[in-house]
Amino acid sequence: MCAMFFRTRLSANSPVHATVIRAFTTAIFAVGLGIFLFASTASAQNPFLQRSGDRKIGRISFLGNEVTQDYILYRTLGLKEGDSYDALEVSDAWERLEQLNFVAYVDIQQSRSAEVVDLVIQIEEDQRVQVAPRAEYERRHDGVIVGLDARMLNVRGRAETVQLSTSWWAKHGYYGGWSNPHILGNARLGLAVGAYWERYDFRFESFRLREAGAWIGVSRPAGQHGQVGITYQYRDFGFDESDVFSGSGADPRLDLNASFDTRNIQYYPSAGVHAEGQVSVGGLGQGDEAGYTFFEAQLATFYRLPFVEILAARVWYRGADVTLPLYERTYLGGPSNLRGLDFGSIEGDQSYLATLEIRRPIFILPLRDGRTVGLGVHAFHDWGKSFEANDPFSSVPVRWSRGLGAHVNLNTKSFRFEWARTDDGDNVFVFEDTLTF
């Protein structure tokens, strides 16, 4: 009976049925009209809801750049008046300006009309002259090195950098250089020149090495993440306090290099790839007997995994056609490669190195320019060997070590405290102020 009553009340000929249908239709129309009006208003007020190409970029103005030339900022911005307006492209342009090492702060204000979007870009320039003392212990020189690093950014307002550095105690040296990341317009060439003088204990042999020289290098971007370059170095070496080596000699060298880098954070990456390759020709102009060639290639990859957090792997190989000078040979062993093995105890012209590392940050705070602050733990396994130029790869066994550690990230430094167990069964405590890769 209830079912019959329900069908009777909502039958097609029932006046109640018609009233319900009219009310329902009116409600749907009202909701649809409200949604349409709200979306139209939001689209008019929010540029992210506008369709690409509907508007053009109008006037572009820079404010606050007291030193930086406007053309440097326009070049980095990558947008021109008359281009189609795209909110994401404006966001990318803001990020490129923020990455300039002489810019502290960027704000982009957008003034919109029916046809164009004007951009007013406020620039706050960073401190241009930067001076910092330096004190560090380097195993390569078996002692403490103190010094002073100074640089001037954005020289002449053209993105150039001038750098001066000094070193004392375990290594005595002076260094100076100038660089410009972008010259010759569309050629987009980077240019760097510099000179140096230094004197230190060679440590791997019983003499002091004096080295002086100058260099000039040219580089160019290769795609979004690549870089290619060529560098010429003139070097002069002198051997002091040695019963075996004496005198001095010149060794000019030419380097051809290429790199590819998609790491998300430079000093503590958790994703991406970093690949480098270099071919070096030494002894230029010194006769056939003094000439030599070697090449190096390295590939490092970083992956994010559940629970593990960061899985990092590195493979490096170096090959040579002839026996290399003492100062060009590879010396493996120590906290930067084969952890736990005696520093520099594995020597050769050619070398192989591989590392597998699990890194688990406890907390990490990214900063500008790829720097970080944080704390974490890690586990590692290293493999490597060095052998002579004319020997096959199998001529010597692969050495290895493995262990656990903790690391502290402070700006560009990552202090490592590690326990390593070597293939000889030795247990060694390892400390270093940078990550292995």
Side-chain angles (χ1 to χ4, degrees):
M1 180 182 296
C2 291
M4 294 177 59
F5 175 77
F6 181 76
R7 285 195 298 269
T8 303
R9 291 291 305 271
L10 296 183
S11 64
N13 297 324
S14 171
V16 175
H17 178 270
T19 301
V20 170
I21 291 179
R22 284 195 298 270
F24 183 70
T25 304
T26 303
I28 291 178
F29 176 78
V31 171
L33 180 62
I35 292 175
F36 173 78
L37 293 176
F38 175 79
S40 300
T41 303
S43 178
Q45 294 179 353
N46 190 340
F48 292 98
L49 297 179
Q50 297 174 3
R51 293 174 297 175
S52 299
D54 287 350
R55 295 181 178 179
K56 301 292 184 181
I57 294 178
R59 183 179 179 183
I60 301 177
S61 304
F62 289 98
L63 303 176
N65 51 313
E66 299 178 358
V67 176
T68 309
Q69 302 289 326
D70 280 356
Y71 82 91
I72 297 293
L73 299 175
Y74 276 112
R75 185 177 69 194
T76 305
L77 184 70
L79 303 175
K80 301 186 301 295
E81 297 179 0
D83 288 350
S84 296
Y85 172 80
D86 187 294
L88 293 179
E89 289 184 0
V90 173
S91 178
D92 291 342
W94 171 86
E95 186 172 355
R96 289 193 295 270
L97 290 171
E98 275 273 319
Q99 291 175 350
L100 292 174
N101 63 357
F102 51 85
V103 171
Y105 174 78
V106 177
D107 181 53
I108 301 181
Q109 299 291 331
Q110 305 178 39
S111 176
R112 304 175 183 84
S113 66
E115 298 180 355
V116 299
V117 178
D118 295 331
L119 304 180
V120 178
I121 305 172
Q122 182 72 38
I123 300 291
E124 182 179 331
E125 295 172 323
D126 208 344
Q127 182 178 353
R128 299 173 61 216
V129 178
Q130 302 176 355
V131 180
R134 177 165 50 92
E136 54 192 13
Y137 178 82
E138 290 195 8
R139 296 178 185 273
R140 171 66 181 85
H141 303 290
D142 195 23
V144 175
I145 297 176
V146 298
L148 195 66
D149 296 328
R151 65 175 182 169
M152 183 175 183
L153 305 175
N154 202 17
V155 180
R156 302 186 302 164
R158 300 181 181 181
E160 302 161 316
T161 301
V162 172
Q163 292 181 291
L164 299 172
S165 298
T166 61
S167 296
W168 299 295
W169 286 3
K171 180 173 68 171
H172 186 191
Y174 303 91
Y175 319 86
W178 169 92
S179 62
N180 189 319
H182 189 144
I183 61 174
L184 298 183
N186 293 332
R188 302 172 62 197
L189 297 181
L191 178 64
V193 297
Y196 68 97
W197 178 94
E198 58 186 16
R199 186 171 183 261
Y200 54 88
D201 287 329
F202 190 68
R203 188 176 183 188
F204 305 122
E205 299 287 347
S206 57
F207 62 82
R208 287 178 65 81
L209 183 66
R210 174 185 51 80
E211 181 178 352
W215 77 88
I216 179 171
V218 178
S219 61
R220 189 185 191 282
Q224 183 178 358
H225 302 289
Q227 188 91 3
V228 295
I230 180 171
T231 301
Y232 174 80
Q233 306 178 64
Y234 180 85
R235 306 177 298 170
D236 186 83
F237 294 92
F239 305 95
D240 303 332
E241 302 178 11
S242 171
D243 297 332
V244 180
F245 304 97
S246 62
S248 62
D251 185 6
R253 198 177 88 182
L254 185 68
D255 299 324
L256 305 174
N257 54 75
S259 64
F260 180 80
D261 193 352
T262 63
R263 292 174 297 176
N264 58 343
I265 302 176
Q266 179 180 354
Y267 293 100
Y268 194 77
S270 60
V273 174
H274 184 208
E276 293 182 306
Q278 177 173 304
V279 177
S280 299
V281 181
L284 296 174
Q286 308 302 305
D288 294 339
E289 294 183 359
Y292 59 88
T293 302
F294 65 88
F295 69 90
E296 300 180 49
Q298 174 173 284
L299 174 64
T301 60
F302 306 88
Y303 297 95
R304 296 297 299 266
L305 296 176
F307 183 74
V308 171
E309 289 291 341
I310 303 173
L311 177 63
R314 180 255 315 257
V315 177
W316 173 76
Y317 185 81
R318 190 187 206 207
D321 63 342
V322 296
T323 300
L324 300 176
L326 287 173
Y327 47 82
E328 294 285 20
R329 286 165 67 84
T330 301
Y331 301 88
L332 295 180
S336 297
N337 40 71
L338 293 176
R339 285 165 273 193
L341 277 69
D342 291 340
F343 184 83
S345 60
I346 304 173
E347 176 185 350
D349 302 308
Q350 305 187 90
S351 301
Y352 157 80
L353 180 67
T355 298
L356 185 65
E357 191 161 305
I358 295 173
R359 301 171 184 169
R360 181 173 176 80
I362 298 174
F363 78 90
I364 189 76
L365 175 64
L367 305 176
R368 284 190 60 184
D369 302 325
R371 305 175 184 184
T372 58
V373 173
L375 172 68
V377 294
H378 60 275
F380 64 88
H381 202 308
D382 301 326
W383 299 265
K385 64 163 67 178
S386 288
F387 50 102
E388 303 305 315
N390 297 318
D391 292 346
F393 184 84
S394 60
S395 60
V396 296
V398 174
R399 302 294 305 275
W400 59 264
S401 65
R402 59 185 175 224
L404 304 171
H407 53 269
V408 178
N409 309 107
L410 294 175
N411 208 346
T412 62
K413 297 290 187 179
S414 292
F415 297 96
R416 290 186 282 125
F417 308 88
E418 299 169 325
W419 161 78
R421 184 172 179 83
T422 70
D423 52 4
D424 289 333
D426 296 330
N427 295 296
V428 182
F429 172 75
V430 179
F431 170 75
E432 189 58 275
D433 62 357
T434 60
L435 295 174
T436 49
F437 62 98

